[in-house]
Amino acid sequence: MKRINRPPLPRVVLSALLVAGGLVAVGVSTGPAASAALTSAALTSAADTSAADTDHLDRGLISMRSGNSNFLSWRLLTSDPAGAGFDVYRGTTKVNSAPIRGGTDYTDAGAPAGSTYTVRPAGVTTLAASAPTTTLASTYMDVPIQIPPGGTTPDGVAYTYSANDASVGDLDGDGQYEIVLKWDPSNSKDNSQSGYTGDVYVDAYKLNGTRLWRIDLGRNIRAGAHYTQFQVFDYDGDGKAEVVMKTADGTRDGTGTVIGSSSADYRNSSGYILTGPEYLTVFNGQTGKAVTTTDYVPARGTVSSWGDSYGNRVDRFLAGTAYINGSYPSIIEARGYYTRTVITAWDFRNGALTRRWTFDSNSSSNGSKWTGQGDHQLSIADVDGDGRDEIIYGAMAVDDNGAGLWVNGQGHGDAMHVGDLIPSRAGLEEFKVDENTGSLAAWMADARTGQIIWSNPSCGCDNGRGVSDDIYAGSPGAESWSSAVSGLFNTSGQNIGRKPSSTNFVVWWDGDAQRELLDGTHIDKYGTSADTRLLTASGVHANNGTKSTPSLSADILGDWREEVIWPTTDNKALRIYSTTDATSISHVSLMQDRMYREAVAWQNTAYNQPPHPSFAMTS
């Protein structure tokens, strides 16, 4: 039997919550049956109650048709006792002969298609059974979505919409995830490109396709990968996730209420928006109603102070979620990375936004070395092990108190990865590729200090993509590779052979501890001589041009393996793929690892990157 893998404290999240004076297991179905108390055995396995709490999840039980059988998969939760076993029921009939351990999946051979299942911890009668199965057609399920109407720009150019980045959160507190989806107009722009764009829309959907709300960000928010970074997280601790975005005059919330002036139009003749007020808004996750709005910090000020005068660098935004006080999540907003960098941390509590701190490279006591060190995305992690999160911003990091933590001077880049990439050494690591021709092509560093562990020498070029994760069982820890450097590098920086066929996302898909290659609309298994195709998704499209990313990849259903969400080619549905491979690895839901959950929240930020947990996966 494989051991149950649990991340080391303090990164494991709180496993139980107090409800009406009693304890309710995280993950049991909601409703009257959910009020049963935890058994003493379950309580002995609970995580340290000082650990920060993230999502309260149900079992996430799914069923997929595989040949003449039904493949079932469900979550192991932090509330489950060590060595937990499970019983599976088809209707009222228990179908397993002995408790299921060593993996939270089961194949019900010869079962009728469309059967309904529940799962229950073995030998624990005081816990409610899971909610009934979510059934997928073969290896995927479609979530119907509603395409916004197209339009025409002031210069007479017509545009339509396609589904773009997505995130998830429990918007209504039922223990199941809803999907928050951004719609991209066909005329969306990179910041370096002039021209008008259509409005940006953000929708929320339940998995049955029920649309909860639609937010129209309005004419004064430009469309493109660098403008709208939306965060979905429970910031106020009420068990229901909020949605946070940068807004402007003319933004219409999910109830139809307009923020600011409904008639204001700040677009210039080049389509840029370089004047007018800017806001930060928290929206209610159930209704889309704007709960509170404040001025966005930092204000754009003088456009040219960000690196150019036409509006490119001034509107480079990043966003994330971080437990900077170790107890509850804060909103992280950032502007700029080519020159000036400003990062702010906000708390949303009791219906109000409060700014905790601001880091500004222009006012740092350390001077100009903090400018120009940011990437096209960020990462959030507790890099110094004190229970509070830091913001890793590329070639620099900001401490939980808003002070600069470290900077190593390697400058701007397009991709980075933070995780337990070298399990044999203490702490977390960062792998990053560089755009500056005078910088190292790629490097691995201590995420706490920024000290470089190994590196690839300068290629004299823009090394635009890079990945670091354990994809090859023949070498312990993460392998690292990048687009402009030949070969695959181990944790010591030694070239160990053939570079993978893609340099994009990674995903836990089959049954082992290694991740697979996710690129475009397919998944491949790395091999030393060639990659093996595991999945070719049909009738779907990837997003974000040459980045070729899914709407989302995350552990949102079933066991610890990750799902992939792509929009269908007609943009009428989000197609969620999940694996039917059995696994002997029993692991707590990745979404109950704080660092992984935060990574899912920032995944949509600018140049999307895959999420990493705080630990190295083991078999």
Side-chain angles (χ1 to χ4, degrees):
M1 181 183 76
K2 300 290 185 182
R3 68 182 178 89
I4 295 178
N5 289 290
R6 296 180 185 274
L9 292 172
R11 291 170 184 141
V12 179
V13 298
L14 184 67
S15 64
L17 69 157
L18 289 170
V19 176
L23 283 167
V24 178
V26 177
V28 300
S29 55
T30 56
S35 62
L38 277 168
T39 64
S40 59
L43 286 173
T44 61
S45 72
D48 182 352
T49 55
S50 67
D53 199 4
T54 55
D55 297 334
H56 308 304
L57 301 175
D58 69 8
R59 286 285 170 206
L61 176 63
I62 57 175
S63 173
M64 293 171 281
R65 193 66 177 168
S66 180
N68 66 347
S69 304
N70 293 326
F71 177 82
L72 309 173
S73 176
W74 61 93
R75 294 182 181 114
L76 182 70
L77 299 164
T78 54
S79 56
D80 292 322
F86 295 90
D87 290 327
V88 174
Y89 294 82
R90 185 192 325 120
T92 59
T93 302
K94 186 162 78 79
V95 297
N96 57 299
S97 57
I100 298 165
R101 295 185 172 90
T104 50
D105 61 73
Y106 180 79
T107 299
D108 191 12
S115 297
T116 299
Y117 296 87
T118 54
V119 65
R120 183 191 296 271
V124 183
T125 59
T126 57
L127 288 180
S130 69
T133 340
T134 297
T135 302
L136 283 67
S138 183
T139 58
Y140 67 81
M141 67 179 293
D142 281 352
V143 178
I145 55 178
Q146 301 171 34
I147 307 173
T152 304
T153 59
D155 55 355
V157 177
Y159 58 89
T160 57
Y161 282 90
S162 61
N164 189 248
D165 294 334
S167 193
V168 292
D170 184 2
L171 303 181
D172 54 12
D174 66 354
Q176 300 177 1
Y177 284 123
E178 282 73 47
I179 298 174
V180 178
L181 172 69
K182 178 165 73 90
W183 289 96
D184 220 17
S186 54
N187 58 358
S188 66
K189 306 292 184 186
D190 182 83
N191 297 48
S192 62
Q193 300 169 332
S194 63
Y196 295 100
T197 74
D199 291 7
V200 175
Y201 292 95
V202 179
D203 290 355
Y205 295 93
K206 296 188 73 67
L207 294 184
N208 63 8
T210 299
R211 194 180 83 185
L212 300 179
W213 46 258
R214 168 168 288 169
I215 294 168
D216 177 0
L217 288 178
R219 64 172 69 94
N220 295 308
I221 294 289
R222 207 164 184 248
H226 302 286
Y227 294 99
T228 296
Q229 329 300 342
F230 58 97
Q231 292 295 290
V232 184
F233 219 91
D234 178 12
Y235 292 105
D236 60 2
D238 67 352
K240 301 175 184 179
E242 288 76 42
V243 180
V244 182
M245 289 174 284
K246 181 176 179 288
T247 58
D249 281 352
T251 294
R252 190 177 299 273
D253 76 6
T255 67
T257 301
V258 175
I259 295 172
S261 168
S262 60
S263 60
D265 187 347
Y266 300 109
R267 295 172 293 181
N268 65 23
S269 59
S270 296
Y272 288 102
I273 301 156
L274 304 181
T275 60
E278 301 173 285
Y279 309 124
L280 180 67
T281 300
V282 177
F283 297 91
N284 180 288
Q286 282 186 283
T287 66
K289 177 180 175 60
V291 178
T292 186
T293 296
T294 191
D295 290 337
Y296 190 87
V297 177
R300 66 174 68 87
T302 302
V303 170
S304 59
S305 68
W306 298 89
D308 60 68
S309 60
Y310 70 96
N312 178 359
R313 288 166 171 79
V314 66
D315 278 353
R316 299 282 181 153
F317 299 100
L318 302 177
T321 296
Y323 284 75
I324 57 175
N325 69 354
S327 299
Y328 57 80
S330 297
I331 303 157
I332 304 299
E333 293 290 323
R335 185 177 212 148
Y337 38 75
Y338 286 116
T339 51
R340 183 186 179 193
T341 288
V342 183
I343 305 170
T344 58
W346 300 82
D347 287 350
F348 175 68
R349 314 292 288 182
N350 300 315
L353 275 168
T354 304
R355 182 156 47 107
R356 293 180 65 92
W357 51 252
T358 298
F359 171 89
D360 190 338
S361 63
N362 276 8
S363 61
S364 170
S365 60
N366 293 296
S368 61
K369 70 179 183 179
W370 295 93
T371 65
Q373 302 299 313
D375 267 24
H376 286 300
Q377 80 284 334
L378 49 67
S379 185
I380 308 293
D382 176 13
V383 300
D384 54 12
D386 65 356
R388 299 185 296 272
D389 288 326
E390 284 71 46
I391 293 86
I392 301 89
Y393 206 70
M396 58 172 279
V398 173
D399 208 349
D400 55 76
N401 62 1
L405 181 64
W406 61 260
V407 57
N408 66 17
Q410 290 300 310
H412 169 71
D414 286 3
M416 67 173 177
H417 299 260
V418 178
D420 191 4
L421 305 177
I422 309 178
S424 60
R425 70 182 300 276
L428 304 175
E429 293 78 35
E430 175 187 358
F431 176 75
K432 179 181 178 299
V433 296
D434 289 331
E435 180 174 308
N436 299 335
T437 57
S439 300
L440 297 168
W443 46 268
M444 181 77 73
D446 185 315
R448 181 179 65 87
T449 65
Q451 182 176 357
I452 293 174
I453 300 167
W454 62 262
S455 64
N456 298 135
S458 175
C459 59
C461 65
D462 176 358
N463 192 13
R465 300 293 286 173
V467 184
S468 185
D469 213 326
D470 184 6
I471 61 166
Y472 173 46
S475 177
E479 292 74 47
S480 306
W481 68 103
S482 58
S483 56
V485 179
S486 299
L488 183 70
F489 295 83
N490 66 12
T491 55
S492 300
Q494 298 171 321
N495 190 336
I496 58 173
R498 189 186 71 86
K499 187 162 70 174
S501 59
S502 64
T503 312
N504 194 8
F505 264 51
V506 284
V507 60
W508 276 297
W509 190 257
D510 64 8
D512 61 31
Q514 283 67 50
R515 259 173 153 175
E516 282 65 59
L517 307 170
L518 169 57
D519 184 54
T521 58
H522 60 267
I523 296 172
D524 296 329
K525 181 76 171 176
Y526 175 76
T528 55
S529 58
D531 298 337
T532 302
R533 181 62 47 87
L534 301 183
L535 172 73
T536 299
S538 60
V540 299
H541 68 80
N543 296 319
N544 302 315
T546 59
K547 303 302 181 290
S548 201
T549 53
S551 291
L552 183 72
S553 179
D555 174 20
I556 61 172
L557 294 168
D559 64 23
W560 58 272
R561 271 86 59 83
E562 295 169 296
E563 282 66 47
V564 185
I565 304 178
W566 287 288
T568 55
T569 51
D570 59 8
N571 291 294
K572 292 183 178 179
L574 293 175
R575 185 159 290 174
I576 306 176
Y577 277 85
S578 191
T579 184
T580 56
D581 290 348
T583 181
S584 59
I585 298 175
S586 189
H587 201 288
V588 170
S589 169
L590 299 181
M591 294 294 263
Q592 291 193 307
D593 177 72
R594 190 174 86 187
M595 181 172 157
Y596 183 92
R597 179 65 186 91
E598 292 166 336
V600 171
W602 58 245
Q603 186 180 140
N604 69 79
T605 294
Y607 288 177
N608 305 16
Q609 298 295 318
H612 295 274
S614 63
F615 54 89
M617 184 70 70
T618 58
S619 59

